[in-house]
Amino acid sequence: MATPAAVVRPTRTLRKPLISGDELAKAFTFFFAALIIVVTFALVWQLWIGSSPAKEKFGFRFLTSSLWNPVTDEYGALPFIYGTLLTSFLALLISVPLGVGAAIYLSELASPRLSNTLTFLVELLAAVPSVIFGLIAIFSLVPLMRDYIEPALQNAFGSTPLFSGPAFGVGYLTAGMILAVMTFPFIISVSREALMAVPREQREAALALGATKWESTWQIVLPFAKLGILGSVFLGLARALGETMAVTMVIGNDPAIHASLLAPGYTIAAVIANEFTEASGKMYSSALVELGLVLFALTMLINGVAQLMIVLTTKKGSAKA
Amino acid sequence: MAQVMTSRNRRRNAVNNVMLTLTGVCAVLTVSTLFLILSYLVYNGGKSLNLDFFTKLPLSPGQEGGGMANAILGSAEIVLFASLLGLPVGFLAGVYLAEFSPKRLGFLIRYTADLLNGVPSIVIGIFAWTVVVRPMHQFSALAGGFALSLMLIPITARGTEQFLLEVPRTMREGALALGAPMWVTIATVVVPAARKGIMTSMILGVARISGETAPLLFTALGNQFWSAGLNQPTASLPVMIFTHATAPYEDWHRQAWAAGLVLLGLVLVANISARMIVSRGASLPR
């Protein structure tokens, strides 16, 4: 035992004074990788201390008050939280069935060539900058909603509070629709991958037992890919919550809570975008930073869940390979 | 009995056909959105786009004509600065993640990078405002570029990592067996082998940040004139689209459409060419 150690030791001491190129390269690249952690911590830290005046003054009331008045320096975040959650929920209501349906078509029915081409196009849609969605929505979707869709909804369901009030064109529903278009590319491409990771034998077994194509898809394939699809939904939700420009351009900028989906509202990201530059007072900008902190916490939570679900299904998928 | 079976089967077949058709309808609806957006933008933007757009400054409301030359230059400056800052950092971090990182630390950095990638862009704007604009007492192209580089770093790092890991183990072993140290192997064998993929993720990253508006709103701000320098408020195409589209002037709307067409054209060309580099249908980092 002693001899090998004695043999090894001299070579070590010989090497020691020199810094090997590998160690240098490792330390050098580590510096940049660590920068990612440093920047992220700095971001959270700045949000935390930047919002401390507002946190000290309003405490928990900030989250439950619906008063937003820069003149009297009173700030409550509830209308913005409500608007953010409501528009994102509306978006998912539209984009989940549409996205999962399209993903089923792409993974189960379309030929690989068609499927890849269509997925490529859908992923291009994900690359369209959000301000362009906003631009198009202002001049096409908003008039369309104001003149046709919203009056039609009022005629049909006007007695319920959900569709009451005048039709402005801008508001929760319009923002939700734009967000739906911005989220389904994510839902489609991730769901499709999850569906394609389902082992072929699962489908064959169901079909061999006499199930129709749809029965095999609905009862066997979808449950198998459930977690990955759910992950894609959470990914879309995280994007919808943090989405700024398109929503800012169609939400209507009204810091109040309305039951009607046709009413103008406000979201967290939109109020920061509109008011941050003109926030003169210390408390005003601090309240906006706290809104940023709330938005950050919300999206991080949702993103974390999404990441976990997607990792779990890809693991399951690779296990069969 | 037989009759019951057939009526039941008929119903099952009908459900099958209806549902499968519906999934096809979903696919058509979603894909056609892209074409709807493109054609609407090309129609409106094409009407408004002319040479002046690229060479003239914006005019004050009420005057006809003008262009967005300052915003084109401003966007280029901001994105170039963001790339100079973000691409090397992201690339080197990606090399560390793929080649050197111990398991647990690697997981931590990877997770943090994904976290940073998921931060809403408006929140990135707040951060850049606190650490650059406030100390400098000045909105600037630098602050805008800094904000965008923060979005570019995690995209580049994860992309670089993914494509480095796809390089076959045997290539590394071959170089190492010839006596090359690890870092020489990485620099002369592994990175060149993953060159295409890394380039692709870089192009996609730059394309993504060049369309970002929210982080620029209170960092680069905006400017109706030529920017006086990198440390001064600077116009950019996305912010111009926002301010012009939401303003109540007819002529500004036309300019916004032209700017939208130019911006989307650039972004889509970058995306399509990047995806042509790697084989089509290959999964790309999001």
Side-chain angles (χ1 to χ4, degrees):
Chain A
M1 277 312 279
T3 335
V7 174
V8 169
R9 194 159 279 162
T11 50
R12 262 203 198 149
T13 43
L14 242 171
R15 262 189 178 180
K16 205 152 198 181
L18 300 164
I19 298 175
S20 86
D22 284 353
E23 275 168 32
L24 199 67
K26 183 174 175 177
F28 183 65
T29 53
F30 171 72
F31 173 76
F32 293 98
L35 220 52
I36 293 180
I37 296 191
V38 171
V39 164
T40 311
F41 269 89
L43 191 147
V44 178
W45 174 245
Q46 287 294 344
L47 286 178
W48 187 260
I49 56 169
S51 62
S52 53
K55 282 205 297 276
E56 274 159 29
K57 185 172 172 202
F58 303 112
F60 194 67
R61 190 157 48 101
F62 184 76
L63 297 177
T64 55
S65 158
S66 54
L67 188 72
W68 183 266
N69 192 340
V71 181
T72 58
D73 242 9
E74 280 291 324
Y75 303 102
L78 200 59
F80 310 109
I81 298 174
Y82 173 78
T84 303
L85 295 179
L86 179 61
T87 50
S88 303
F89 175 73
L90 289 173
L92 289 185
L93 215 57
I94 303 167
S95 67
V96 169
L98 211 58
V100 175
I104 290 176
Y105 177 80
L106 293 174
S107 76
E108 308 295 313
L109 295 172
S111 67
R113 204 188 145 88
L114 180 66
S115 175
N116 284 340
T117 314
L118 293 184
T119 308
F120 171 71
L121 292 175
V122 165
E123 281 175 1
L124 274 189
L125 196 57
V128 175
S130 93
V131 71
I132 298 218
F133 281 107
L135 172 71
I136 287 169
I138 283 190
F139 297 107
S140 66
L141 189 62
V142 169
L144 193 73
M145 294 292 285
R146 185 184 55 221
D147 300 335
Y148 300 100
I149 299 175
E150 291 184 352
L153 284 170
Q154 281 172 331
N155 280 339
F157 314 104
S159 49
T160 62
L162 275 186
F163 297 101
S164 61
F168 294 107
V170 293
Y172 298 116
L173 187 59
T174 312
M177 288 178 69
I178 271 295
L179 284 177
V181 177
M182 302 181 71
T183 48
F184 69 59
F186 291 85
I187 296 182
I188 293 175
S189 77
V190 178
S191 294
R192 171 179 170 258
E193 268 161 47
L195 288 170
M196 296 208 318
V198 176
R200 204 182 163 73
E201 295 81 8
Q202 296 279 335
R203 299 183 180 87
E204 285 169 358
L207 294 175
L209 287 173
T212 61
K213 179 93 185 165
W214 172 252
E215 285 164 349
S216 123
T217 305
W218 184 249
Q219 293 169 19
I220 308 296
V221 178
L222 272 187
F224 203 95
K226 179 175 68 197
L227 225 46
I229 294 176
L230 220 54
S232 81
V233 172
F234 275 84
L235 207 64
L237 178 60
R239 173 151 198 216
L241 291 172
E243 181 45 56
T244 310
M245 298 322 294
V247 175
T248 307
M249 291 159 94
V250 300
I251 187 70
N253 304 344
D254 180 16
I257 295 176
H258 301 280
S260 171
L261 301 182
L262 310 184
Y266 229 147
T267 67
I268 299 178
V271 73
I272 300 174
N274 277 332
E275 298 188 2
F276 199 86
T277 331
E278 58 201 53
S280 39
K282 184 176 147 208
M283 194 55 70
Y284 194 3
S285 64
S286 164
L288 286 167
V289 174
E290 188 170 356
L291 277 178
L293 185 65
V294 171
L295 184 63
F296 175 81
L298 214 57
T299 44
M300 285 310 102
L301 186 74
I302 302 293
N303 255 325
V305 176
Q307 226 61 274
L308 196 69
M309 285 175 171
I310 293 169
V311 165
L312 284 178
T313 28
T314 23
K315 248 186 198 160
K316 202 163 70 176
S318 59
K320 60 107 209 205
Chain B
M1 185 65 190
Q3 196 139 32
V4 175
M5 281 301 286
T6 45
S7 84
R8 195 170 147 222
N9 276 348
R10 211 176 295 137
R11 201 182 44 114
R12 287 176 60 208
N13 266 327
V15 169
N16 183 48
N17 290 337
V18 169
M19 294 313 285
L20 292 184
T21 315
L22 275 182
T23 62
V25 171
C26 288
V28 170
L29 274 179
T30 48
V31 173
S32 58
T33 321
L34 178 68
F35 293 103
L36 217 65
I37 287 177
L38 273 181
S39 50
Y40 198 62
L41 197 60
V42 168
Y43 173 73
N44 281 293
K47 273 195 310 193
S48 324
L49 197 60
N50 52 27
L51 193 64
D52 281 356
F53 179 84
F54 297 99
T55 55
K56 296 243 167 85
L57 283 176
L59 298 173
S60 39
Q63 289 175 279
E64 292 268 316
M68 287 196 183
N70 60 339
I72 295 171
L73 182 72
S75 262
E77 280 173 6
I78 293 169
V79 171
L80 186 70
F81 179 65
S83 305
L84 287 178
L85 208 61
L87 291 179
V89 174
F91 171 73
L92 289 167
V95 170
Y96 178 78
L97 282 176
E99 306 292 335
F100 295 114
S101 67
K103 207 170 175 195
R104 215 175 269 176
L105 189 59
F107 176 80
L108 180 71
I109 294 172
R110 217 166 276 133
Y111 192 80
T112 318
D114 287 345
L115 203 79
L116 186 59
N117 194 18
V119 174
S121 56
I122 188 89
V123 175
I124 299 267
I126 295 181
F127 176 61
W129 181 84
T130 2
V131 298
V132 183
V133 175
R134 202 167 49 178
M136 284 173 73
H137 300 290
Q138 181 72 288
F139 297 105
S140 64
L142 294 178
F146 173 73
L148 294 185
S149 77
L150 294 183
M151 310 190 66
L152 193 53
I153 289 171
I155 303 176
T156 316
R158 297 290 269 135
T160 304
E161 184 204 0
Q162 186 197 334
F163 286 104
L164 286 179
L165 288 178
E166 272 174 23
V167 175
R169 204 186 159 74
T170 45
M171 286 184 74
R172 283 165 232 258
E173 282 167 355
L176 291 173
L178 288 173
M182 195 63 197
W183 71 274
V184 175
T185 308
I186 294 168
T188 59
V189 176
V190 184
V191 169
R195 188 180 70 235
K196 274 186 182 174
I198 294 174
M199 283 296 291
T200 306
S201 57
M202 285 181 171
I203 295 173
L204 287 180
V206 172
R208 160 143 180 231
I209 61 162
S210 51
E212 279 295 338
T213 317
L216 300 180
L217 286 174
F218 30 84
T219 51
L221 197 67
N223 197 333
Q224 287 297 103
F225 306 99
W226 295 107
S227 169
L230 284 179
N231 59 352
Q232 295 293 318
T234 304
S236 61
L237 273 179
V239 175
M240 278 292 208
I241 296 174
F242 174 58
T243 52
H244 280 231
T246 47
Y249 315 113
E250 199 66 24
D251 205 53
W252 277 30
H253 294 167
R254 290 202 310 103
Q255 296 290 348
W257 280 114
L261 182 61
V262 170
L263 182 64
L264 188 65
L266 288 174
V267 169
L268 287 190
V269 164
N271 264 274
I272 293 171
S273 52
R275 278 155 207 259
M276 290 293 173
I277 298 177
V278 291
S279 65
R280 232 208 252 168
S283 71
L284 288 163
R286 263 172 294 274

